[in-house]
Amino acid sequence: MEPVGTSRADPAVGERLRALREARGVSLSALARSAGIGKATLSGLEHGTRNPTLETLYAVAGALGVPLTALVLAPGDPPGAAVDVRGAAVTATLLEVFEEAGATFELFWMRVRPGVVQHSPPHAPGVTEHVTVHQGVLRAGPGPAPLVARAGEHIRFEADVPHVYSTVGPGEVVANLLIRSPR
């Protein structure tokens, strides 16, 4: 599948976004303000005329208080049906979604391109990210104090604050990302 954030918008993402917004009784203007994005951008996403980046999807998901998969995966669909999402530095492929009584877990295969810093907006309150690096050296975590992990290492951080992803050095990072979103 072509990643979200490249050349083609996925109208299904916009339909899910609009349905979630309307189910919560939130106006387009209020959601755009809460997510920190333009109203025209949000309208374009809902109508399938704008292609969302990973950063935009996380901002909207955080403002709605839902996991990313609520936007990129239709209820009941297998994880492989989700579109890949691409940000400034990160491309993420959904591998699995786990549901427990108190939380949703999203497992991604992630590649981080060298030479670019991805600034991710805060997720909903209580969200944590867990990253296991398989290749390269990763710098990730809260903006003012990111952590560093090498191949074979794991880091965990609170993701309900602005956070970053980048490589250390010229090589690409390949990792697994597990996002835990409390309900």
Side-chain angles (χ1 to χ4, degrees):
M1 247 184 211
E2 191 167 343
V4 171
T6 59
S7 59
R8 181 180 57 81
D10 182 356
V13 170
E15 291 166 11
R16 286 189 286 276
L17 191 163
R18 183 175 37 255
L20 286 164
R21 178 182 59 76
E22 289 174 350
R24 284 162 174 71
V26 177
S27 72
L28 191 71
S29 295
L31 180 58
R33 221 176 7 264
S34 177
I37 62 174
K39 183 177 173 182
T41 297
L42 185 58
S43 177
L45 295 178
E46 285 193 358
H47 289 93
T49 59
R50 284 240 165 116
N51 195 18
T53 64
L54 184 58
E55 296 89 341
T56 300
L57 288 173
Y58 273 130
V60 171
L64 289 170
V66 298
L68 177 68
T69 53
L71 298 176
V72 299
L73 186 64
D77 277 359
V83 294
D84 288 352
V85 287
R86 183 179 177 132
V90 174
T91 299
T93 302
L94 181 64
L95 299 176
E96 190 61 71
V97 179
F98 308 91
E99 300 282 343
E100 289 185 358
T104 298
F105 297 86
E106 301 164 299
L107 179 62
F108 293 91
W109 182 253
M110 178 175 70
R111 293 185 173 281
V112 183
R113 290 175 291 290
V116 182
V117 177
Q118 177 149 333
H119 296 272
S120 293
H123 298 295
V127 172
T128 56
E129 294 193 12
H130 309 257
V131 184
T132 303
V133 177
H134 300 285
Q135 171 188 313
V137 182
L138 176 71
R139 177 178 288 124
L147 305 166
V148 174
R150 292 165 177 67
E153 296 179 340
H154 172 266
I155 58 174
R156 174 202 179 279
F157 57 91
E158 303 296 322
D160 55 3
V161 297
H163 49 286
V164 297
Y165 277 91
S166 64
T167 64
V168 175
E172 177 183 62
V173 168
V174 177
N176 283 111
L177 168 63
L178 180 68
I179 301 174
R180 181 189 181 279
S181 301
R183 291 193 201 168

